[in-house]
Amino acid sequence: MNILRKTFLAAAAAAFCLPGISQDLIRSNYKYNGYNRIRTERILVDPGDKRPFMTSLEYVGFPDGSTAYMLELNYISSVSKNAPKGVPFTATATDGKIISAKQIYGETTDKRAFPGPDGKPVYWNKLQYLLEEGAVQKMASGVKNTDIAFSFEPDDYLSTNFTGDEFGKAVKELYYAIKSEKPAEEELGDLIATYSNQRNSLTVITKPVEVKGENATYTLSMTYMYYKEAHEEGYDLNIAVKDGKVGEIAFETPVTFTLEDGSAVSLKEERDAADALICYPDAEQIKKMIRGNVTAINIAVPGKEFSDSFSDGAFSEAIYKLYNTLQTVSVL
């Protein structure tokens, strides 16, 4: 195994979704400005001794009722490549039929290297293709070969043979994950409060959303952070408790969100604060709170443990709106 492939596999395992690691392959599902979008997480395609890559899929429902799918490929490389719009992609299905598309992603001007596991700089080389559903279904039935152009030069392309149908199986897994989802019916609305694109980071903060429990009223907001030098992202969940119901909440106070099935998401207070929670959930914990329906919250304040319950799904609905609002502008 060459050094670059080791770097790619280690980086993918550390930073992105691999088959078997996450039960939830759906990254986001929302309706915004009339467009329905259901996007998957990225999963690794590793064709043995060939060059591995990550792939994801997104369903797009247009306001006129038409639909399409966005196929994304990501290659980690020691060399930066910006494939121009229009360069071709072809996939040969197991029945010999050809699926073709053109690259549509416009690379940003501030693309930069980030450190691989060995500390050496690597780049994220991204390609996107718009496909009809029939083309996605054909790839999901099996792919023997792909030819991917990175420029209009005749020799600047990557041809990959899949002896184990690694790519077709990945597309099938992502496609059926999307098909298991019901497109959102209600618009997200305008919930972005601030968007700050700095030299080394992007920070996006939502507007607050109010939720009423049995014992208190809460104001929720969420922050998305993308760290350009590390090529990583994170989330802050901010919960203000109205009317002094809790009081001082010390750093590292345990906070538990109980879900409808009896399971829980456990977080902690990340600062010293009064009647306010600042927690750092990861994306999987956020999605679990959305899908699992939060029915109760418990804040383990010493000497005065605070609990509250939610009977109408309002808490999870608020988390859904905030998280998916951030997905409309997320980088990864």
Side-chain angles (χ1 to χ4, degrees):
M1 182 185 293
N2 61 47
I3 296 299
L4 181 57
R5 185 166 184 277
K6 286 182 179 179
T7 297
F8 183 97
L9 294 176
F16 310 108
C17 172
L18 306 185
I21 289 180
S22 170
Q23 295 291 318
D24 189 353
L25 283 176
I26 298 299
R27 179 178 172 92
S28 58
N29 180 357
Y30 59 84
K31 185 176 184 180
Y32 186 63
N33 287 338
Y35 290 82
N36 278 104
R37 305 186 82 108
I38 305 175
R39 182 183 169 198
T40 71
E41 299 285 3
R42 296 175 179 87
I43 60 175
L44 180 67
V45 179
D46 182 13
D49 60 349
K50 308 290 193 309
R51 189 172 177 184
F53 59 93
M54 290 172 294
T55 188
S56 64
L57 194 63
E58 182 176 12
Y59 163 88
V60 183
F62 296 94
D64 64 3
S66 60
T67 63
Y69 285 78
M70 189 92 70
L71 177 69
E72 182 177 306
L73 308 180
N74 297 276
Y75 291 87
I76 293 177
S77 172
S78 59
V79 178
S80 175
K81 287 194 172 187
N82 294 327
K85 291 183 179 181
V87 294
F89 161 89
T90 61
T92 304
T94 50
D95 63 2
K97 292 187 178 180
I98 303 296
I99 300 100
S100 60
K102 293 183 178 180
Q103 208 284 123
I104 62 172
Y105 178 66
E107 186 61 70
T108 56
T109 57
D110 63 349
K111 180 182 178 182
R112 66 179 71 182
F114 59 96
D118 58 0
K120 294 181 179 179
V122 293
Y123 292 88
W124 175 301
N125 296 322
K126 180 175 174 179
L127 307 101
Q128 288 181 333
Y129 310 96
L130 195 64
L131 299 165
E132 294 182 350
E133 185 167 11
V136 176
Q137 292 173 335
K138 177 58 68 176
M139 284 194 290
S141 69
V143 175
K144 294 193 298 184
N145 170 271
T146 57
D147 285 303
I148 298 165
F150 289 92
S151 76
F152 290 106
E153 297 297 323
D155 297 328
D156 194 11
Y157 72 94
L158 179 64
S159 183
T160 305
N161 295 315
F162 301 96
T163 58
D165 190 28
E166 297 85 0
F167 185 41
K169 290 176 180 177
V171 173
K172 181 178 180 179
E173 187 174 7
L174 299 177
Y175 174 66
Y176 281 104
I178 287 175
K179 295 299 285 184
S180 69
E181 289 286 296
K182 181 181 178 181
E185 296 180 357
E186 296 185 10
E187 283 273 346
L188 276 180
D190 183 15
L191 286 175
I192 297 292
T194 63
Y195 183 99
S196 178
N197 193 3
Q198 304 296 320
R199 174 178 172 79
N200 292 320
S201 66
L202 169 67
T203 302
V204 186
I205 303 174
T206 69
K207 295 176 182 178
V209 175
E210 189 172 277
V211 175
K212 291 184 178 180
E214 294 295 322
N215 300 322
T217 300
Y218 307 83
T219 301
L220 280 62
S221 65
M222 198 174 287
T223 302
Y224 169 83
M225 294 150 292
Y226 170 65
Y227 305 100
K228 297 179 182 179
E229 292 185 337
H231 200 58
E232 296 175 351
E233 61 185 7
Y235 300 88
D236 289 1
L237 173 60
N238 307 295
I239 304 174
V241 188
K242 289 191 174 183
D243 304 322
K245 295 283 186 176
V246 182
E248 295 294 326
I249 307 174
F251 174 62
E252 294 193 335
T253 295
V255 183
T256 303
F257 301 90
T258 303
L259 308 182
E260 196 168 43
D261 65 359
S263 63
V265 173
S266 298
L267 300 172
K268 60 183 179 181
E269 171 69 277
E270 298 292 346
R271 301 178 197 171
D272 291 321
D275 289 306
L277 292 169
I278 299 93
C279 302
Y280 299 159
D282 60 31
E284 288 305 307
Q285 290 173 315
I286 295 170
K287 291 192 293 181
K288 188 174 181 181
M289 283 194 279
I290 292 171
R291 291 184 179 274
N293 187 21
V294 174
T295 59
I297 184 174
N298 179 276
I299 307 172
V301 180
K304 118 179 224 193
E305 191 162 308
F306 174 84
S307 295
D308 202 354
S309 59
F310 308 94
S311 59
D312 57 359
F315 194 95
S316 288
E317 178 66 18
I319 297 292
Y320 162 82
K321 289 180 179 179
L322 298 175
Y323 171 76
N324 280 281
T325 291
L326 295 175
Q327 296 313 305
T328 68
V329 294
S330 67
V331 177
L332 298 183

